[in-house]
């Protein structure tokens, strides 16, 4: 797909539902008693993979294209899937479902696309094995396909070496079926949507510092869930509105949960003109409209406990840094190497191809901004966030930018290019 520079971006936009929250609503709805109605469900391929896995385990799920109705069967109501469960491109589906499958009285096998089959699963295999499940990586490389033989689980106190909501959630979901208190302590706090939603569905869960602590549940109960817009999707319009001159974008209904909204802090640190309007809690999660105006940005340092709160936004933050005065340092972000693609390598290589001054480091990158960028042929590596990031950069790069596998945006934001074009992109 080809993209060209544009003079400005102006208008209003409503962001599709949050991916993390949509996954969790289907999962908890499936193992809850009664019906769960999910409004503004993200119709991205990843969340559809989650629906398809639970349908294969006997859960009736109606999807009318915006809202989803899950007819839950209770904590012990799943049935043995007849076929291999296909998680597609979705790490969240693979890791969170593993936590549930670890406790089921039937064996199952999980797999996904080429990218999923390279992503590290040892991080969930280890704690779930400690809890009593048997999980075998069929190719012996610590990745999917995974064969899971469920068991009666023991509760554990797990100290996770990585700040990962997927690891934390897998252990907590398994802990629902445990024999005592389960806890997960992280090096710093990752997104807490699982904890918030578990509590809403009736589980006994609390947090202490960087630990999430859960008691086994007798039952969960179906809920009505309003999914706020995904800040990770809004990030592309925040960045675009800030860096493209003469722009003003009003982004409606964006989730601003503090464990997710590190990008807002970074933008402010860089000198951005951002205003939050109409802050509310209607969805059970904090949300707001965000007004973005073109701004003169300067470099910053992004590190430490901030990293998990903006991990998926780092590619587009790196893009912003290319248009900021001075140096931006991103460190403590080695997790970027094990996302849908190696996002450090993908960003450094493609930004360099466009003329940016960017250097790869062990756990991040260093960018010197304000070099003029030109169009190039960008290999998205079928990574949705890389494709969307370069579509944003193309608004300011001289000449033509071509993005390969551009349709991979269907993973998290099927209408992304249309929305960007409506604001003025070409
Ligand atoms: C997610 C957690 C993050 C994030 C991913 C979604 C989730 O992954 O990158 O896009 O929904 O729990 P990690 O837990 O691997 O950091």
């Amino acid at each position: 797909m080809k993209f060209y520079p544009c003079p400005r971006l102006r208008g209003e936009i409503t962001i599709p539902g949050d991916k993390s929250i949509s996954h969790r609503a289907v999962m908890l709805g499936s193992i809850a008693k009664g019906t769960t109605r999910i409004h503004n469900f993200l119709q991205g391929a990843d969340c559809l993979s989650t629906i398809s896995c639970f349908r294969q385990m006997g859960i009736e799920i109606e999807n009318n294209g915006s809202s989803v109705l899950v007819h839950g069967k209770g904590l012990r109501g799943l049935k043995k899937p007849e076929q291999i469960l296909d998680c597609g491109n979705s790490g969240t589906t693979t890791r969170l479902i593993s936590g549930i499958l670890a406790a089921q009285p039937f064996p199952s096998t999980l797999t996904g696309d080429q990218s999923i089959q390279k992503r590290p699963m040892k991080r969930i295999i280890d704690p779930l094995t400690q809890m009593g499940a048997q999980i075998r990586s069929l190719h012996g490389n610590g990745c999917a396909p995974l064969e899971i033989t469920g068991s009666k689980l023991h509760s554990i106190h797990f100290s996770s070496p990585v700040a990962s909501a997927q690891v934390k959630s897998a252990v907590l979901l398994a802990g629902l079926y445990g024999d005592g208190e389960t806890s997960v302590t992280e090096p710093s706090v990752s997104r807490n949507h699982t904890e918030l939603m578990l509590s809403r569905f009736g589980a006994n869960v609390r947090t202490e510092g960087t630990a999430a602590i859960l008691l086994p549940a007798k039952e969960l109960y179906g809920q009505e869930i309003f999914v706020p817009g995904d800040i990770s999707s809004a990030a592309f319009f925040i960045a675009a509105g800030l860096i493209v001159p003469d722009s003003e974008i009003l982004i409606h209904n964006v989730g601003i949960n503090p464990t997710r909204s590190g990008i807002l802090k970074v933008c402010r640190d860089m000198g951005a003109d951002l205003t939050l309007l109409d802050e509310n809690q209607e969805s059970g999660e904090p949300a707001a409209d965000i007004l973005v105006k073109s701004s003169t940005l300067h470099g910053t340092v992004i590190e430490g406990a901030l990293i998990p709160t903006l991990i998926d936004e780092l590619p587009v933050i790196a893009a912003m840094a290319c248009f900021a005065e001075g140096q931006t340092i991103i460190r403590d972000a080695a997790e970027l190497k094990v996302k849908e693609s190696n996002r450090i390598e993908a960003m450094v290589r493609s930004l360099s191809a466009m003329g940016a001054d960017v250097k790869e480091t062990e756990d991040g990158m260093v960018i010197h901004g304000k070099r003029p960028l030109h169009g190039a042929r960008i290999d998205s590596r079928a990574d949705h966030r890389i494709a969307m990031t370069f579509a944003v950069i193309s608004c300011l790069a001289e000449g033509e930018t071509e993005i390969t596998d551009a349709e991979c945006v269907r993973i998290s934001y099927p209408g992304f290019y249309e929305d960007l074009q409506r604001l003025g992109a070409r």
Side-chain angles (χ1 to χ4, degrees):
M1 195 179 267
K2 292 180 175 163
F3 301 84
Y4 302 90
C6 65
R8 66 189 64 79
L9 295 169
R10 285 182 167 257
E12 300 189 16
I13 180 167
T14 301
I15 297 292
D18 186 277
K19 179 155 80 70
S20 295
I21 297 174
S22 296
H23 280 299
R24 286 156 172 81
V26 169
M27 293 185 187
L28 294 191
S30 296
I31 57 169
K33 248 194 164 146
T35 308
T36 289
R37 188 182 291 275
I38 312 167
H39 302 271
N40 197 34
F41 179 82
L42 173 64
Q43 300 287 336
D46 271 10
C47 298
L48 298 179
S49 294
T50 293
I51 288 188
S52 129
C53 289
F54 280 94
R55 280 183 176 150
Q56 279 193 63
M57 291 191 281
I59 304 298
E60 191 196 331
I61 302 176
E62 299 171 57
N63 181 358
N64 74 8
S66 75
S67 67
V68 164
L69 209 56
V70 183
H71 298 278
K73 294 211 165 146
L75 272 181
R76 293 184 167 75
L78 298 178
K79 76 169 187 37
K80 179 178 180 309
E82 294 304 325
Q83 276 154 10
I84 293 178
L85 297 170
D86 184 356
C87 302
N89 190 245
S90 175
T92 309
T93 309
T94 312
R95 296 195 177 109
L96 271 61
I97 278 195
S98 296
I100 295 174
L101 292 175
Q104 302 306 314
F106 52 76
S108 50
T109 306
L110 284 179
T111 194
D113 68 7
Q114 280 182 0
S115 155
I116 273 295
Q117 292 191 37
K118 288 194 206 123
R119 296 184 65 187
M121 294 298 152
K122 194 171 171 307
R123 51 180 62 194
I124 54 148
I125 296 175
D126 287 349
L128 295 175
T129 304
Q130 279 178 40
M131 294 176 87
Q134 282 176 46
I135 306 186
R136 201 159 67 89
S137 158
L138 291 183
H139 300 152
N141 57 356
C143 302
L146 300 178
E147 191 183 74
I148 301 182
T149 309
S151 157
K152 188 135 189 35
L153 297 182
H154 316 295
S155 296
I156 58 168
H157 295 289
F158 181 60
S159 192
S160 177
V162 279
S164 159
Q166 294 180 357
V167 172
K168 173 173 64 178
S169 302
V171 176
L172 292 178
L173 291 172
L176 287 171
Y177 301 87
D179 58 2
E181 189 180 87
T182 296
S183 70
V184 182
T185 305
E186 302 185 275
S188 55
V189 178
S190 65
R191 65 191 66 189
N192 66 356
H193 304 302
T194 301
E195 296 89 305
L196 292 178
M197 204 179 284
L198 275 170
S199 164
R200 187 152 178 174
F201 275 75
N204 185 329
V205 60
R206 67 181 200 280
T207 51
E208 278 175 23
T210 65
I213 303 155
L214 171 95
L215 292 177
K218 286 209 177 67
E219 252 342 321
L220 302 178
Y221 298 95
Q223 298 295 317
E224 182 156 30
I225 304 285
F226 294 85
V227 182
D230 196 325
I231 191 165
S232 300
S233 299
F236 300 104
F237 297 98
I238 294 174
L242 292 175
I243 61 180
V244 177
D246 195 27
S247 296
E248 182 168 323
I249 307 176
L250 180 59
I251 312 172
H252 289 288
N253 188 33
V254 183
I256 53 164
N257 177 322
T259 64
R260 287 289 297 286
S261 55
I263 184 170
L264 300 181
K265 177 181 181 328
V266 166
C267 288
R268 292 204 173 103
D269 288 349
M270 295 176 86
D273 184 348
L274 280 184
T275 315
L276 297 190
L277 304 164
D278 193 22
E279 289 189 51
N280 66 83
Q281 287 270 355
E282 280 153 29
S283 59
E285 290 254 358
D289 295 346
I290 303 179
L291 179 65
V292 186
K293 295 184 186 169
S294 317
S295 303
T296 306
L297 301 179
H298 52 79
T300 186
V301 178
I302 305 159
E303 62 185 350
L306 193 56
I307 294 291
T309 72
L310 45 64
I311 187 76
D312 291 339
E313 291 67 77
L314 283 169
V316 82
I317 289 173
M320 284 197 303
C322 292
F323 299 95
E325 198 70 60
Q327 174 178 271
T328 294
I329 301 173
I330 299 172
R331 60 166 84 102
D332 305 325
E335 276 295 298
L336 283 182
K337 296 181 185 171
V338 291
K339 294 296 177 189
E340 286 81 333
S341 69
N342 177 340
R343 288 182 175 160
I344 296 182
E345 208 247 344
M347 286 307 299
V348 170
R349 185 168 292 203
S350 294
L351 285 174
S352 304
M354 297 181 97
D357 179 349
V358 50
K359 283 195 185 50
E360 181 170 349
T361 61
E362 221 168 79
D363 59 355
M365 58 194 107
V366 178
I367 298 160
H368 290 95
K370 290 281 182 200
R371 304 286 187 276
L373 300 193
H374 53 79
R377 189 159 192 274
I378 302 299
D379 177 4
S380 72
R381 295 147 195 246
D383 181 334
H384 53 132
R385 301 208 195 277
I386 298 296
M388 290 188 273
T389 295
F390 282 93
V392 168
I393 298 174
S394 75
C395 294
L396 285 171
E398 195 193 317
E400 180 181 281
T401 299
E402 184 177 357
I403 301 177
T404 63
D405 282 328
E407 68 287 354
C408 64
V409 303
R410 71 180 194 289
I411 294 295
S412 64
Y413 197 156
F416 175 73
Y417 299 119
E418 292 76 8
D419 283 354
L420 192 60
Q421 270 162 17
R422 259 191 321 103
L423 297 174
R426 302 191 304 131

